[in-house]
Amino acid sequence: MSADTSAPIRAPEPPAPSPAHRRAAPRLRASLRRAAPALGLYAASRLIGLVCMAAWAGRIGKHPRTLLGYCWDSVWYVGVARHGYNGNALLPDPAKHGVTFSDMAFFPLFPMLMRTLTTLLPISAVTAGLVVAWVAAGVAAWGIHAVGELLYGRRVAMALVVLWGLLPHAIVQSMAYTEPLLTALAAWSLYAVLTRRWLSAGALALLAGASRPNGIAVAAAVCCCAAAELWRRRRACGTREVLEARGASWRVWAGAALSPLGWLGYLAWVGCRRGSWRGYFAVQEEWGSRFDFGANGLRFVRYLLIHKASFAYFVALVILGVAVVLLALLVADRPPLALLVYTLVLVAITLGGSNYFASKPRFLLPAFPLLLPVALAMTRARPRTAVLTGGALAGFSFVYGTYLLTVARIAM
């Protein structure tokens, strides 16, 4: 036997990781270790909320998995994941004897991830939607902690994560909806902006724009911060250094250019399918959704103050009012530009959009910077006060989440 044939067969050595990868991996592991206590509290809060909902759902004869993974918008995402975009669907409407809606109102990233899971694993589309949403919620909580820790330290970061998990409508974070995915992408994109990682920020903003219509808020934050960064560099450089500064700024330019492509790309695709540049906006109008600067919302508030309506509508009104107050407090605290632009755009889209009043609190779920004033106040308060406040928020969140899924008959 020759020396060549008797030599042991070994797999080729993997390529050595790049210096950037060697730096990034330990940093992420350290960040995850620091976030572990907050993530544990977040997971416990969501688990208790799910147990409460499941117990009541079983009592009234409803299946928890169906409520979480196959109701309202989740039905549409499951349909796109299974069959792709079919264009239209006929839904029953008592007033109109059936009305046609288009599934192109729903952005593609979430159903694409669902379909990928069903291709790789022997699970249904409903289960895949829940898996994607739950993993995204955990990544979102981690990203929220990373942003809070970077700006204000670990105590504020923990309070921020816990508050996000104890929102009145936090049950949505456990549903097969796109808000957890958008929040995860937005939090880490904002973190990348704050740490001057422009390519990562732009790539994550691109994905955020492909996940939800209001994902454009992430791109707005990246573009505004990129413009501010370029202006700062130009002001800081002398005349001889201008050309060198321009050459070193390509990452900023690239991140800003990448950031809106997911949102614009989907709008362009729908426009091609519809044969009109405003095809996506026509789809939204068919659903009764348009940007009217809040006129429809104000009319609905007036209706609520005069007539009887579901309890969920009044809770939504209170949440929106609190959100406006928190926005004012956030602006007064002068947060970093990335957080400010992102939150302002999200709130403007939510308050300025027409119809779906009960869904507006859900649209604000990704606006986690609104919770920063509360998180700061809780870390400055006495421990007993903070614990009592957290307990009250938890109790209401668990009860109201159960009510939304099992009792309330309104679109979420």
Side-chain angles (χ1 to χ4, degrees), residues 142-384:
W142 180 16
I144 291 170
H145 184 277
V147 172
E149 182 187 34
L150 179 67
L151 297 177
Y152 300 102
R154 292 179 67 178
R155 290 185 62 199
V156 174
M158 178 177 289
L160 190 62
V161 172
V162 172
L163 286 170
W164 189 66
L166 294 179
L167 289 170
H169 47 297
I171 190 69
V172 176
Q173 299 167 17
S174 302
M175 299 175 65
Y177 271 34
T178 51
E179 277 73 20
L181 180 61
L182 173 57
T183 308
L185 295 168
W188 284 106
S189 180
L190 294 174
Y191 180 81
V193 170
L194 294 172
T195 54
R196 300 296 188 268
R197 295 175 174 85
W198 295 102
L199 292 180
S200 298
L204 290 167
L206 182 153
L207 294 174
S211 65
R212 280 194 56 77
N214 53 358
I216 190 62
V218 188
V222 173
C223 289
C224 287
C225 291
E229 177 71 8
L230 292 170
W231 177 254
R232 182 191 65 79
R233 291 186 182 186
R234 184 180 181 86
R235 292 284 300 273
C237 292
T239 305
R240 297 178 180 178
E241 300 170 317
V242 170
L243 294 177
E244 295 181 5
R246 288 178 180 175
S249 299
W250 72 270
R251 293 179 181 272
V252 185
W253 284 103
L258 278 174
S259 61
L261 293 185
W263 191 82
L264 292 175
Y266 183 67
L267 264 63
W269 180 81
V270 175
C272 290
R273 286 282 298 267
R274 282 296 188 103
S276 169
W277 67 269
R278 62 181 307 274
Y280 177 77
F281 301 103
V283 169
Q284 287 288 354
E285 289 173 1
E286 292 168 5
W287 280 82
S289 179
R290 61 179 62 85
F291 192 83
D292 63 356
F293 298 93
N296 180 269
L298 290 175
R299 287 194 296 269
F300 192 80
V301 170
R302 181 183 178 186
Y303 173 86
L304 285 180
L305 297 177
I306 299 174
H307 301 85
K308 293 182 179 180
S310 172
F311 175 67
Y313 286 115
F314 292 99
V315 175
L317 177 60
V318 172
I319 291 174
L320 293 177
V322 172
V324 172
V325 174
L326 292 178
L327 178 63
L329 294 175
L330 180 69
V331 173
D333 284 342
R334 301 180 66 181
L337 180 63
L339 270 63
L340 181 61
V341 172
Y342 169 71
T343 309
L344 282 172
V345 174
L346 273 182
V347 173
I349 292 174
T350 301
L351 297 182
S354 63
N355 290 328
Y356 304 103
F357 190 85
S359 299
K360 290 183 183 294
R362 172 169 66 88
F363 301 157
L364 285 177
L365 266 181
F368 66 90
L370 289 175
L371 300 172
L372 277 170
V374 185
L376 288 166
M378 288 188 69
T379 55
R380 296 166 185 163
R382 294 179 178 179
R384 181 180 178 181

Side-chain angles (χ1 to χ4, degrees), residues 78-92:
V78 169
V80 174
R82 287 174 175 168
H83 312 295
Y85 286 97
N86 293 324
N88 297 300
L90 191 66
L91 295 183

